[in-house]
Amino acid sequence: MDSALVSDAAYLPSTVRVAAKILVVGHFAVGKTTFVGSLSEIRPLRTEETMTQAGALIDDLRGTEDKTTTTVAMDFGRLTLSDSLVLYLFGTPGQRRFTRLWHDMTVGALGAVVLADTRRLEQSFPVMAVLEEHGLPYAVAVNHFEGAPLFAEPEVREALDLLPETPLVTCDARDELSSTHALIALVEYLQARQTRSSQEIV
């Protein structure tokens, strides 16, 4: 199976001239590793370690009692969008003790997909605060978990205190098509912002 992953897709075409960086962020156990994995055309780089009893004392495991590993540095994936453009996906660890790393990873990023869980929406605020501090635009994707409550979009917007223009979508991070739609929502938002900025300059 491993040998099947070593193919031409592992190497960038020589025609690629532009690389863009997108962050995949969110609180602990919200599905960032799964999201990056569902989109990456290469085997994702993952820095997962087995969770210990010490971590259980500080990490909120509500709804994720079966989780046995956690990201301790980052996830990394790649998606070639055209002959000349490649997208690099960087997934951040979710625990607040990695806040300094969140700040570092915003450098050079065009924007971020914020994954959220309706069972723990309040845990999204520290992540969004870092993005806003750095002026990094983002889209919010509510990752649907079995048994999680469903809310209308206006309710989620109000709970997360989102600006009207901030994209809000639902997704299943396990599904490539669903994750792609969430990524497209961010890209369209970034393009719209760029267009508005260009018009203001003119």
Side-chain angles (χ1 to χ4, degrees), residues 10 14 20 23 36 55-56 76 84 118 125 161-162 173-174 180 188 199:
S14 60
L23 299 185
V36 171
F76 174 79
S84 60
T118 57
F125 287 114
D161 195 24
L162 299 180
R174 300 167 298 181
T180 298
E188 290 179 341
Q199 291 172 343

Side-chain angles (χ1 to χ4, degrees), residues 47-65:
T47 55
E48 291 200 309
E49 294 294 340
T50 301
M51 294 176 61
T52 64
Q53 190 60 40
L57 299 176
I58 54 177
D59 295 330
D60 187 350
L61 298 177
R62 283 179 294 163
T64 61
E65 289 78 7

Side-chain angles (χ1 to χ4, degrees), residues 3 52 67-68 77 99 104 113 124 146 160 186 188 191 194:
S3 59
T52 64
K67 186 173 177 62
T68 59
T99 301
D104 292 342
V113 174
S124 298
E146 185 176 352
L160 292 176
L186 171 64
E188 290 179 341
Q191 290 175 329
Q194 181 61 39

